[in-house]
Amino acid sequence: MRARYLAWSAVAAASLVVSLAVPGGARAPAAAAVPAACDPTGTAPVYRGKVPSPKQVLGFELGERQATAAESDRYLETVAAKSERVVSGTLATTAQGRPLKYAVVGRPELVSRAGLAKVRRDAGRLRDPRTPDALAERLAERGVPILWVSGNVHGDEPSGTDAALKVLRDLGDRTDCAAANVLANALVVILPMQNPDGRELNTRQNAYGFDMNRDWFARTQPETDGKLAMLNQYPPALYIDAHEMGGKSYFFPPNADPIYHETPEQAVHWINDVYGTAMAAEFTRQGIDYFNRNTYDLFYQGYGDSVPTTAFHAAGMTFEKGDNSPYPERVKEHYLTQWVSLSAAARNRRRILTEWHQMAVDAYKQGQAGTLEPNQIYNPPNQIERPVPGRKVREYFLRDDDPAKRTEVRTIVRRLQRMGVRVERLVRPLTVPDFKAYGRPEGRATLPAGTYLISMAQGQKHWIQAMLNEDSYTPFPYFYDVTAWSMPLLGNVSGGSSGAVLRPVAVPVRTLPAPRPGHEGRAPRIGVLRLSATSSARQSVGWLRHRFDREWKLPYTLLTPEDIAAGKLAGTRVLLVPNGPVPDAYTALGDAGRSALRTWTRDGGRYVGWQGGTQLAARLGLTTATLADPTSDIPGTLFRVKVDGASPLAKGVGRTAWNFTSYDPVMRASSGVVASYPAVDSADWSVSGFEKGAAELGGTAAVVDQPVGRGRSVLFAAEPNFRAFSDGTAKLLYNAILGPDPARSAVPPAAATADAARRAAALPSYEAPIRVSVRAADAAKAAAVLRSVGARWAESRAGDVVHYVVDNPRGLPADHHPFAGRLPSLIREAGIDPVAVTLP
């Protein structure tokens, strides 16, 4: 980071009065009020001319065309070099070697080394619930909130970047009262481009196939990890995340239901009533089409709006502009929402800082009392279908007495610590009268010394609950993403919670180091078969590549169906076949490729597949496991499965694991079952997240390992490496790659494999489908809604529930699909109380 000490211009000095203690200890007066007549958008910009225009640097004005990643970086660095109000730096480096550039903008004394240190220190004090009231009041009177503007987390949604650069130029050079208002009352961090690789590739995901707007809590990608590290240095009171969607309209909050129950209520008030109201007034005044309270929820704790809100008590907001509009219009409207939001925050500076501190105090008091926030509905006539239980939660515990789980446990602890969560460790055993182990009934337990203790009596109470919860308590059956993400369940580690008032003997834990990458033993020659170039295959293969390259350090060869047909499988010992559409891959393999796969496996190859890879194995006659299309609604949910301890896949896993499932095929097998769903009425049956009709999974297989000639097929019904953060089942996958062969068993009869192949061939193939499930009484109305938008669907019935599945062959996310985003409101307007609405 470079600090600049150039002279503050006379015009700007007259407009801006220092509101923070200056270096050297002298205290400056509080910021002068900007005249009420200063209209943030109606004031004519006045530029000093120190910062060259985009055209002078790039040869075009921002918005005339999309700036490249390199052009964005060049203009950001030019502004930083020319303006004493701006310092710049690099958050991270992408897989393809591109820098993630940011700029910090403020008055010169704020962006000096000492000024920035003081802003960070004061922000830390305001986030600390233990800060005395008198000191917090002084900080709120004289301090500044930190406001973030970011864009382009999805690489094919570019206009937020160009808009953010316009904001950077204006704050770096303008002297009029509208710019002065922001500069006098805020420090602004601008991250124009969160996904430069995706921008250059014109893909939604990054170079590893990750949707980085789903990666915020796990931080698997360096782009996300660097951003979160910076956010913890400069914690936001406002976080803007600029996107694009289909159509021509504009979305800004208020959000759609559901909203996660631990989202701070005061932050929701800011989002809806401070920023949402200001933007609605400006868009109405200018006659710009917009909508809100639809499509975009605030539930999954991995988004660029939900994580800033829950973890930092910020107003985290997603802005979406329709990509059918001309590019200049997209940039203009993103600039407008960014400028209006920054201006509103500046106008409410003291109130925001006061309430920001109060949120931390309230969170601490809730944690001390063991009170969880209730579920709420923000958009009637929606109704809460599942309330948050009334059980008190004062502490969470993570056990560390299983050496095989140590890496997973410490990964969770480190993630918590790096988000400002205090973690302690028991010095002596602790008897807990109401210990509730994950997925088990409450009971008395004695936890050993060395167990990690996370008290809820912290300013980060909301984030602790979001990360360590047993269940997300989905309030409303609309799903834009997954419904379960508990880190202990994803890691398959032992732990639980208590609501009792305890007196533990514990010591604080220093921030743990990152796990050392690598694998055990000698690696076999590995091939990875990518079934297609579609989104589902790109993501599943990308998640695996991340594990191989960055964590397990396993070399591999990427193959296509055409490569298999051409004989390039020779020499491979283990072939991994991730998810993807099977019919196209089956056709692309041709007779030669299909024969090569069968022969290779029977001659001693190890075929490891999941989802589409499992279906392909069944079609090729490599298993007797049968697959059936699900009749339940499971839109991204964690289920406990039993694990066969005699299997080589079970090493370090334990007798149970938590399996992430999302509308995956139901797999049945009479032999070779490694992991299976318990009977629904057994003590082992446990679910985290939403499900309707999941009883069909009871007693079925999650993972099978069967002989195929001298080889074997290891097949997972669901993705074992979901977003590279389902560490518990990823260990099953790791063992499937590197572990020994099981004891030999009889090769299954040909008739059984033929039956499995026939059933697999009959399975439907969907790419990112839209799913609507309603009760039979509402079926006619639901079909009418689907017809009204021109949908074509497959229909099935299970008991009293009718399921509609709309294929989405281009893999479009809901907000880019022609009608998917409108379905929830259309269903509501039709008077339907849905069982589930699941959008891609």
Side-chain angles (χ1 to χ4, degrees):
M1 182 181 289
R2 307 190 311 276
R4 304 202 172 274
Y5 301 94
L6 303 178
W8 185 238
S9 75
V11 174
S15 300
L16 303 175
V17 182
V18 178
S19 67
L20 202 66
V22 297
R27 176 162 292 178
V34 175
C38 185
D39 185 335
T41 58
T43 300
V46 178
Y47 294 94
R48 296 179 299 171
K50 282 192 172 185
V51 175
S53 71
K55 188 162 189 173
Q56 290 173 308
V57 178
L58 304 177
F60 62 94
E61 293 297 344
L62 293 167
E64 288 182 0
R65 68 162 172 84
Q66 177 182 329
T68 66
E71 287 169 340
S72 172
D73 290 347
R74 178 152 43 109
Y75 193 66
L76 183 150
E77 290 293 3
T78 299
V79 177
K82 297 296 184 179
S83 177
E84 74 281 14
R85 306 174 191 173
V86 182
V87 296
S88 65
T90 299
L91 291 178
T93 302
T94 70
Q96 295 185 337
R98 294 186 176 89
L100 226 66
K101 293 283 188 179
Y102 68 86
V104 182
V105 193
R107 302 187 313 276
E109 65 275 10
L110 283 190
V111 298
S112 69
R113 190 184 305 273
L116 289 174
K118 189 174 192 307
V119 172
R120 294 193 300 266
R121 184 167 62 249
D122 289 351
R125 289 169 173 167
L126 286 170
R127 294 186 75 201
D128 188 344
R130 300 165 298 181
T131 297
D133 291 345
L135 175 57
E137 186 175 345
R138 288 197 300 273
L139 293 172
E141 179 183 349
R142 295 183 173 274
V144 292
I146 302 169
L147 315 177
W148 278 66
V149 177
S150 70
N152 208 188
V153 72
H154 293 142
D156 57 357
E157 300 175 3
S159 56
T161 295
D162 305 71
L165 291 172
K166 286 171 67 72
V167 170
L168 174 62
R169 187 233 178 158
D170 281 7
L171 292 178
D173 204 49
R174 279 172 60 173
T175 60
D176 53 83
C177 65
N181 177 43
V182 177
L183 291 163
N185 293 289
L187 185 77
V188 181
V189 181
I190 296 179
L191 180 59
M193 188 167 35
Q194 300 172 77
N195 183 3
D197 289 356
R199 187 180 185 92
E200 292 305 294
L201 295 167
N202 194 34
T203 58
R204 180 180 179 88
Q205 301 94 357
N206 71 351
Y208 267 94
F210 280 73
D211 184 334
M212 291 191 297
N213 200 37
R214 308 294 187 269
D215 185 50
W216 275 69
F217 79 80
R219 302 169 67 161
T220 68
Q221 301 305 288
E223 300 96 325
T224 318
D225 189 60
K227 178 169 54 185
L228 266 297
M230 181 82 174
L231 278 159
N232 276 280
Q233 288 188 62
Y234 293 91
L238 168 69
Y239 190 92
I240 292 170
D241 195 14
H243 292 250
E244 292 182 11
M245 60 181 179
K248 294 185 176 181
S249 189
Y250 199 101
F251 169 86
F252 50 76
N255 296 90
D257 290 319
I259 293 177
Y260 184 60
H261 71 95
E262 284 291 332
T263 305
E265 191 60 28
Q266 183 58 59
V268 175
H269 171 65
W270 287 352
I271 291 167
N272 293 355
D273 302 328
V274 174
Y275 302 108
T277 298
M279 287 182 287
E282 186 60 33
F283 272 54
T284 300
R285 185 180 73 79
Q286 296 195 30
I288 302 173
D289 182 55
Y290 71 92
F291 71 95
N292 47 40
R293 299 186 185 276
N294 200 354
T295 306
Y296 301 99
D297 62 20
L298 200 61
F299 189 71
Y300 168 59
Q301 297 296 293
Y303 293 142
D305 51 10
S306 59
V307 171
T309 305
T310 307
F312 295 98
H313 302 168
M317 295 189 293
T318 290
F319 295 162
E320 299 268 1
K321 172 58 184 173
D323 59 9
N324 288 343
S325 300
Y327 199 68
E329 180 181 307
R330 287 184 257 166
V331 173
K332 176 185 175 182
E333 291 180 19
H334 267 318
Y335 170 84
L336 182 61
T337 52
Q338 292 170 16
W339 192 258
V340 167
S341 298
L342 294 174
S343 302
R347 283 196 306 273
N348 291 278
R349 176 191 62 82
R350 182 170 181 176
R351 169 191 169 189
I352 284 171
L353 290 176
T354 299
E355 293 175 352
W356 198 47
H357 173 67
Q358 189 60 46
M359 275 191 272
V361 173
D362 293 343
Y364 173 83
K365 290 179 178 177
Q366 289 178 10
Q368 195 174 43
T371 304
L372 300 183
E373 292 268 12
N375 267 331
Q376 296 191 55
I377 287 295
Y378 292 86
N379 303 299
N382 296 338
Q383 295 182 352
I384 294 173
E385 294 203 357
R386 192 178 183 198
V388 176
R391 178 178 178 268
K392 291 186 179 299
V393 179
R394 286 188 167 92
E395 296 90 13
Y396 278 98
F397 300 93
L398 297 173
R399 295 186 64 147
D400 194 34
D401 50 345
D402 183 351
K405 303 285 184 73
R406 191 144 290 157
T407 297
E408 291 86 351
V409 171
R410 294 185 178 183
T411 295
I412 296 168
V413 170
R414 174 176 160 82
R415 284 177 180 163
L416 293 170
Q417 292 174 318
R418 297 182 72 210
M419 292 296 283
V421 174
R422 185 181 72 254
V423 180
E424 298 173 289
R425 202 165 190 182
L426 296 181
V427 174
R428 299 175 186 169
L430 177 68
T431 298
V432 181
D434 65 336
F435 182 67
K436 189 175 191 315
Y438 287 109
R440 301 293 181 187
E442 188 178 300
R444 188 178 184 86
T446 299
L447 301 176
T451 297
Y452 290 102
L453 162 67
I454 303 95
S455 170
M456 292 281 271
Q458 303 187 47
Q460 286 292 73
K461 175 259 182 179
H462 301 302
W463 186 244
I464 295 168
Q465 175 62 20
M467 293 297 98
L468 301 184
N469 70 80
E470 182 173 276
D471 198 301
S472 58
Y473 309 117
T474 313
F476 177 67
Y478 158 75
F479 311 109
Y480 192 76
D481 202 73
V482 305
T483 70
W485 56 82
S486 169
M487 287 199 296
L489 274 56
L490 288 167
N492 193 34
V493 303
S494 297
S497 61
S498 167
V501 177
L502 303 173
R503 298 289 183 264
V505 180
V507 294
V509 179
R510 292 184 179 181
T511 301
L512 299 180
R516 294 181 62 181
H519 64 273
E520 298 176 357
R522 185 176 178 179
R525 185 170 172 183
I526 298 170
V528 175
L529 174 57
R530 187 171 70 181
L531 295 182
S532 75
T534 60
S535 178
S536 61
R538 174 180 167 81
Q539 290 194 124
S540 189
V541 170
W543 301 338
L544 180 65
R545 289 174 51 228
H546 161 83
R547 287 281 189 189
F548 280 175
D549 292 346
R550 293 170 172 166
E551 294 187 17
W552 295 344
K553 297 295 183 181
L554 286 170
Y556 61 94
T557 300
L558 194 61
L559 301 167
T560 65
E562 291 79 9
D563 291 332
I564 302 294
K568 294 184 180 180
L569 194 55
T572 300
R573 283 290 301 121
V574 178
L575 179 68
L576 290 103
V577 189
N579 190 32
V582 174
D584 290 348
Y586 189 83
T587 299
L589 283 167
D591 290 338
R594 295 192 289 268
S595 177
L597 272 175
R598 293 186 186 104
T599 300
W600 173 84
T601 309
R602 290 168 182 161
D603 286 349
R606 187 180 298 185
Y607 181 112
V608 182
W610 52 94
Q611 294 177 299
T614 292
Q615 185 180 344
L616 179 63
R619 288 196 67 173
L620 293 172
L622 303 182
T623 181
T624 62
T626 61
L627 304 173
D629 207 35
T631 61
S632 53
D633 282 289
I634 305 174
T637 304
L638 284 159
F639 289 81
R640 185 159 53 208
V641 292
K642 298 185 298 181
V643 177
D644 178 7
S647 167
L649 272 64
K651 181 184 176 183
V653 175
R655 72 176 194 88
T656 63
W658 291 88
N659 197 48
F660 188 89
T661 304
S662 183
Y663 289 106
D664 293 304
V666 179
M667 183 162 66
R668 293 177 172 84
S670 57
S671 65
V673 176
V674 174
S676 61
Y677 294 94
V680 177
D681 58 357
S682 77
D684 282 330
W685 177 264
S686 188
V687 183
S688 177
F690 180 90
E691 63 82 12
K692 290 289 186 183
E696 69 170 333
L697 293 179
T700 66
V703 186
V704 298
D705 184 354
Q706 296 181 335
V708 183
R710 297 195 305 275
R712 61 193 269 222
S713 64
V714 182
L715 306 176
F716 298 75
E719 169 72 69
N721 185 39
F722 185 74
R723 292 179 181 162
F725 59 50
S726 58
D727 294 333
T729 47
K731 183 171 281 189
L732 290 167
L733 175 59
Y734 177 91
N735 292 337
I737 299 167
L738 297 177
D741 288 324
R744 298 301 298 173
S745 57
V747 174
T753 57
D755 180 56
R758 185 172 57 255
R759 295 185 187 216
L763 284 174
S765 179
Y766 301 120
E767 181 70 18
I770 300 152
R771 298 178 184 269
V772 176
S773 298
V774 300
R775 292 170 182 83
D778 290 323
K781 289 188 286 187
V785 168
L786 292 172
R787 278 194 298 271
S788 74
V789 294
R792 298 175 65 183
W793 64 86
E795 182 177 335
S796 62
R797 180 166 178 164
D800 188 45
V801 177
V802 179
H803 302 277
Y804 300 91
V805 182
V806 181
D807 196 13
N808 180 16
R810 293 174 58 196
L812 295 174
D815 53 348
H816 286 269
H817 192 275
F819 59 79
R822 292 186 285 132
L823 281 179
S825 60
L826 293 174
I827 288 168
R828 182 173 62 241
E829 291 165 8
I832 300 170
D833 181 15
V835 173
V837 178
T838 305
L839 305 182

